[in-house]
Amino acid sequence: MRIERATNQALATEFGLAPDEYARSLAILGREPTITELGIFAAMWSEHCSYKSSRIWLRELPTEAPWVIQGPGENAGVVAIGAGLAAVFKMESHNHPSFIEPYQGAATGVGGILRDIFTMGARPIASLNALRFGDPADPATRRIVDGVVRGIGGYGNCVGVPTVGGEINFHPAYNGNPLVNAMTVGIAPAGRIFRSAAAGIGNPVVYVGARTGRDGIHGATMASAAFGADAAEKKPTVQVGDPFTEKLLIEACLELMETDAIIAIQDMGAAGLTSSAVEMAGKGGLGIALDLDLVPLRESGMSAYEIMLSESQERMLMVLDPVREEVGRAIFEKWELDFAVIGQLTDSGRIVVRRQGRVEADIPLAPFAAAAPLYRRPLATPPAPPAFDPASILDPPALAPALLHLVGCPDLCSRAWVWDQYDSTLGGQTVRRPGTADAAVIRVEGQALALALTTDCTPRYCAADAETGGAQAIAEAWRNLTAVGARPLALTDNLNFGSPENPAVMGQFAAAVRGMAAACRALDFPVVSGNVSLYNETAGTAILPTPVIGGLGILDDAAQAVGLALSPGLELVLIGLTAGWLGQSLWLREMAGKEAGLPPPVDLLAERRHGDFVRREIAGGAVRACHDVSDGGLLVAIAEMALAGSVGVRLAGPPADIAPHAFWFGEDQARYVLGAADAEALLAAAEAARIPALRLGIAGGGDLTLPGGIAISLAALREAHERFFPAWLD
Amino acid sequence: MRAGITIFPGINRERDMAIAFRKVTGKPPRMLWHQETDLSGLDLIVIPGGFSFGDYLRAGAMAAHSPIMGAIRRHAERGGYVLGACNGFQILTEAGLLPGALLRNASLRFLSMDCHLRVERTDTAFTGHYQRGQVFRAPLAHGDGNYFADEATLDRLEGEGLVAFRYATGDGRLAPEANLNGSARAIAGIFSGNLRILGLMPHAEDRVDPLAGGTDGLPLFEGLAAALAA
């Protein structure tokens, strides 16, 4: 063992290892780590790779159901969807890089989540993205939004996977900390899922894909002085995406998966070769020997440390059946990708890394895994939101100007400018495009069945009450799937929070997970994959807690999917109870200038009953249009349905016992607006099922006519709805 | 009709094309790797959409020099049919099989939306199942679809009736707001002089299914199947 540079506590701290973590590395090795080993410990025990602060809470989430083939712990979650097929899906964040370099940060976020999906043997069929940006008035926000949208489009459009949905919120809490959460779904044969546990002593460890460069090496912790190298040679820490190489990698991997050559496979994501090698060998209970001289390099003179920690994109690590090694080589050569045997599995139980004949790292894997830190961080009750008394609203603005303002505000306005830059029809299976339904609907090629996909979170609810907010995010995702007629199957989550070392933030995290777990159980909606992104804060100010939910549902018959669009003659029926809850509503924020009060309560039993009723009525053919009621409340939901169908609506008056502004803009949960040809029959069915239902009005004409006769033309509504993004960014 | 679909590295709408052709012929088209040079037995060569070789140099520029392009050129010289959609259209102009070029969209942004296409002539193998002046919807999805040619070439294309489709309003008018990418004379697709090569930017192949946006694109494939029935 050559110690080229002494490591010590000071250097370990610089690498991000806490004193007790460094002490554990000494205990595992029985000596001081080499610089390469120190890098491996720091990477594997980073919050990002180890989930050391979150793991203890994530155990509370339900992860099982009869249809779950693979829960958390692999590259992605897997659920059975029928016809012998499985859906493979996951969401992952690329928040920090997207702030530093929005285009590449977002682009490589898309690339990373795609690899998680096809690694498991699935052809990616759709991507979504959940985005949070800072105050639109901040000039930096404009640059970040433009770069992120171009980056997502630039990568997704080229790699050939349609981008079919997502969401965008703005809030000053995301100044300096935008969130870019990317989700991808793929389809694989249910009986042929590829996993990462290595097997077979002596089997070749194969590196495929793009070459390794110095990009993305250990970001903030790597001071150039630590190596005494020329600082000018160090590339920025944000990786650079190459969607063309990723496309080739998808096709080559899927072609190889048609043979029986692959024993285990894992993409090289965060911490690159380090995490893929450690995890594959560790899960298989084996050792692994790597000769870094055999790794395809893009630059000369790279050290073992740099090669092990590089986060160059579009790379995979595989264990192949030695008999079929040449089959693999031929396929990758056809696709003009590198294919290199860089090591073997061993019976040593250790990862041994050599560079130019010298051992640069030698770590026993079982003790390494067993010593992984797991923290129960101190919790504190987060501060309560400012109180809100509905009676304090003495003179609410008139409905019409309030509606026009709300449909045009950054959080509610049309996202067409964004999704018009994402190829959403590629593949020819897009049944519901962005903006036409509560969830994207993508048919499975060659089948009658379709997947429904959505991402949801209401961060301002989570900030006011994280437990309610966590439950609401799950409920809204479940509702959005239900609103297109789909049966919700499972979800992936992306938990974005501030620093876990801040007890109030950790208190929000624990509460949000508790709320999520309750909702998952009540709705039979398990978590099958996910990602945690902590330390989203700048200068001590954390983002709003943002536990994003990526929901997946199934329609046995794609033809049964319903969208938002009304058509003339349809009657509007509201399902669910309206108390007029204005706490944390967008009306309160936009019209009264207050971010105050508690969020609307989430009644999980009502969610379940109302949703099951709506789904049954859609399947029975009684519902021609459907929209869940969420941000902005009932009148905003109706306006969106009118705009989607280019048809007006004449509304009836609200019940006498509720203030009009609270009725039309309150954000009570568990509600849907249905468009029905036969409202009488629908109301009778609701009554029979003891589901609250209320007739709202009828579609027709070219105006949205409010109770009392005030009419807003669709043209005026559309102008207000579509103004913001083009005016801001073009 | 015996159709072959060309696959360059980075092409990504080959499956969409295969679905459209299977729909009208009942059999899967032959998939052609870009290094193949034997196209014998094929009536129609299709170059689908995508980002061939990443389009890192200039859209279609690398693919235009692939081995299969020589074979496609000989196929065209023999009077064979060629269809290029999106990246395929870009490749055909880069290869000189169709005149003009596809520049960055006027907005300088990638555009993914439905457009209306007006059918300019119907006495061709590609458009025989449309009505003259008919308007149909198709999705477009491109960053470089802004058709450009010098004035003399544009005059010649129009004079010889080689404009296949134009971007139009839903009722068939030409208008700046309907010409989404800013193409010269609102040109969305053109024919070669012998009417056997068609290049177009939008994706008729993604409109062959009532559930996935409708069947407005189906007549193009039905027309080809009827005209090239062997």
Side-chain angles (χ1 to χ4, degrees), chain A residues 423-500:
Chain A
D423 191 339
S424 58
T425 54
L426 202 162
Q429 308 298 323
T430 306
V431 178
R432 298 284 167 187
R433 287 171 88 162
T436 67
D438 278 359
V441 179
I442 310 298
R443 189 178 44 196
V444 178
E445 191 181 315
Q447 305 286 333
L449 61 90
L451 300 182
L453 307 167
T454 182
T455 73
D456 292 287
C457 180
T458 313
R460 62 183 189 280
Y461 293 175
C462 299
D465 180 337
E467 184 167 353
T468 301
Q472 193 274 341
I474 303 267
E476 187 173 346
W478 189 86
R479 240 171 18 230
N480 280 329
L481 300 176
T482 296
V484 299
R487 196 165 73 248
L489 285 187
L491 65 94
T492 180
D493 59 20
N494 202 142
L495 309 179
N496 308 273
F497 288 76
S499 168

Side-chain angles (χ1 to χ4, degrees), chain B residues 56-217:
Chain B
Y56 289 143
L57 173 57
R58 197 171 58 240
M62 297 277 288
H65 297 283
S66 260
I68 201 171
M69 285 310 296
I72 292 176
R73 197 184 305 277
R74 288 190 292 278
H75 167 85
E77 284 163 2
R78 286 194 304 268
Y81 289 87
V82 181
L83 168 64
C86 201
N87 201 210
F89 187 13
Q90 295 161 342
I91 292 167
L92 290 173
T93 60
E94 284 287 341
L97 286 166
L98 288 172
L102 283 312
L103 309 182
R104 289 288 289 152
N105 293 342
S107 66
L108 302 181
R109 291 188 184 278
F110 190 95
L111 293 177
S112 166
M113 53 184 58
D114 273 12
C115 62
H116 288 100
L117 293 176
R118 191 176 77 190
V119 181
E120 300 295 293
R121 71 185 283 178
T122 57
D123 56 342
T124 76
F126 299 96
T127 54
H129 278 219
Y130 286 107
Q131 305 297 313
R132 183 173 153 79
Q134 182 180 343
V135 175
F136 69 97
R137 283 172 78 100
L140 54 75
H142 57 245
D144 303 81
N146 181 355
Y147 185 73
F148 174 83
D150 59 54
E151 288 298 310
T153 303
L154 293 170
D155 289 343
R156 181 178 66 79
L157 284 171
E158 294 193 321
E160 295 177 12
L162 301 180
V163 176
F165 306 108
R166 290 185 210 264
Y167 301 107
T169 61
D171 56 2
R173 286 178 299 109
L174 301 185
E177 68 272 18
N179 186 5
L180 299 169
N181 54 28
S183 286
R185 304 192 192 177
I187 288 172
I190 56 172
F191 297 112
S192 60
N194 67 357
L195 301 174
R196 293 190 170 205
I197 304 177
L198 168 66
L200 81 167
M201 285 311 298
H203 294 287
E205 70 275 17
D206 284 332
R207 277 299 146 81
V208 297
D209 184 329
L211 280 181
T215 55
D216 277 21

